[in-house]
Amino acid sequence: VVNNTINQKLLEAVYDDIVKKQVKISDREILDVFLQENTTIWAQHILVEDKRTADRLYRKLLENPNRFEELAEEYSIDNTTNMNGGNLKEFMKAKFPNVFGKKSYTQKIGLISRPFKSDFGWHILRVNRREPKYMNKYQEQKKLYRDKILKKKTKDIVKKTFAIGIAGCMVFGFVASSFADKDFEIVGHGYDDYYNESGDEQTQDIK
């Protein structure tokens, strides 16, 4: 009992040092994450197999951006969109958890992107519109998004601060399950049992 009490006090002290002193979350950051998960995007793309073709088409589009639909129909290997001028069905960033999703969310409206590579090939992208949704629910969901950011930031700090071992496992278990309140139990699971998800973050104001 005495040892558990000492361990609990130690963990609380470490937690306070990590979370309260190192993790800072602004309202702007919370809003950015909310928008990333709740913004509808309308875009067109041309997908080709190699960089050389992508670069050649990009030069053509710089000369005449109005040829986007024509070049998509002629060259794009995306059979779901090439006969529709490269127009994708409306989507949210999370549908494409890779470079395509990030580009779709951050690229300026109306501009044609330089060619970039994904797992499917080389893309040229034009974002035509972005529209935030569910803004009327933002205030009621704000705390949930703050907690989500807090968990990720705390996880990142713990991973950098502690080597894999008993101390790291104890603190990791505490952070993962108990940061919202101080009622926690010391458990002896492995490091990877507590966090298996990964996150990435890129933020941009919605125009």
Side-chain angles (χ1 to χ4, degrees):
V1 175
V2 173
N3 287 338
N4 283 346
T5 301
I6 293 174
N7 285 336
Q8 180 169 318
K9 294 293 184 182
L10 176 61
L11 289 173
E12 287 181 335
V14 173
Y15 168 81
D16 287 344
D17 180 68
I18 292 174
V19 176
K20 292 184 177 180
K21 293 182 180 179
Q22 297 188 46
V23 176
K24 306 295 182 184
I25 303 172
S26 67
D27 286 345
R28 176 72 256 180
E29 189 174 2
I30 299 171
L31 179 60
D32 281 342
V33 174
F34 177 87
L35 289 174
Q36 287 186 57
E37 296 187 5
N38 296 281
T39 293
T40 302
I41 302 168
W42 289 262
Q44 298 167 270
H45 83 137
I46 299 172
L47 176 65
V48 295
E49 292 181 346
D50 60 276
K51 186 177 187 298
R52 183 177 180 180
T53 302
D55 287 339
R56 179 162 57 88
L57 296 179
Y58 179 66
R59 288 193 295 270
K60 290 178 181 290
L61 289 169
L62 288 181
E63 295 174 1
N64 186 358
N66 293 327
R67 295 188 65 191
F68 199 103
E69 289 81 2
E70 171 196 340
L71 295 177
E73 291 181 8
E74 184 174 354
Y75 291 97
S76 182
I77 61 174
D78 182 353
N79 293 326
T80 64
T81 65
N82 55 11
M83 299 309 295
N84 187 32
N87 281 286
L88 294 151
K89 185 177 180 180
E90 62 192 60
F91 62 94
M92 291 189 179
K93 177 177 177 286
K95 181 177 180 179
F96 301 103
N98 52 29
V99 63
F100 191 90
K102 293 178 183 178
K103 289 276 189 181
S104 299
Y105 182 73
T106 59
Q107 184 169 304
K108 289 185 178 180
I109 301 296
L111 294 185
I112 295 173
S113 75
R114 291 181 178 276
F116 62 92
K117 193 176 188 303
S118 77
D119 293 337
F120 302 99
W122 286 86
H123 302 263
I124 300 173
L125 175 70
R126 178 164 65 189
V127 177
N128 296 316
R129 180 183 168 197
R130 279 191 291 265
E131 181 180 311
K133 300 175 73 71
Y134 313 122
M135 291 306 297
N136 59 325
K137 297 182 179 180
Y138 172 65
Q139 288 301 328
E140 67 181 76
Q141 294 184 5
K142 186 175 179 180
K143 185 180 184 301
L144 295 177
Y145 278 88
R146 185 185 186 282
D147 289 348
K148 181 177 182 178
I149 296 169
L150 178 63
K151 285 182 178 180
K152 181 184 182 303
K153 286 192 171 188
T154 303
K155 179 189 74 171
D156 291 343
I157 291 173
V158 170
K159 289 174 72 173
K160 292 177 181 178
T161 304
F162 296 94
I164 298 176
I166 296 176
C169 291
M170 291 171 63
V171 174
F172 225 67
F174 169 71
V175 170
S177 60
S178 309
F179 74 89
D181 55 53
K182 294 301 182 181
D183 297 321
F184 64 94
E185 178 182 0
I186 298 174
V187 294
H189 292 190
Y191 180 90
D192 290 333
D193 291 338
Y194 295 108
Y195 282 98
N196 290 316
E197 79 275 16
S198 62
D200 64 59
E201 271 330 9
Q202 164 127 15
T203 60
Q204 170 100 4
D205 290 344
I206 297 298
K207 305 294 183 184

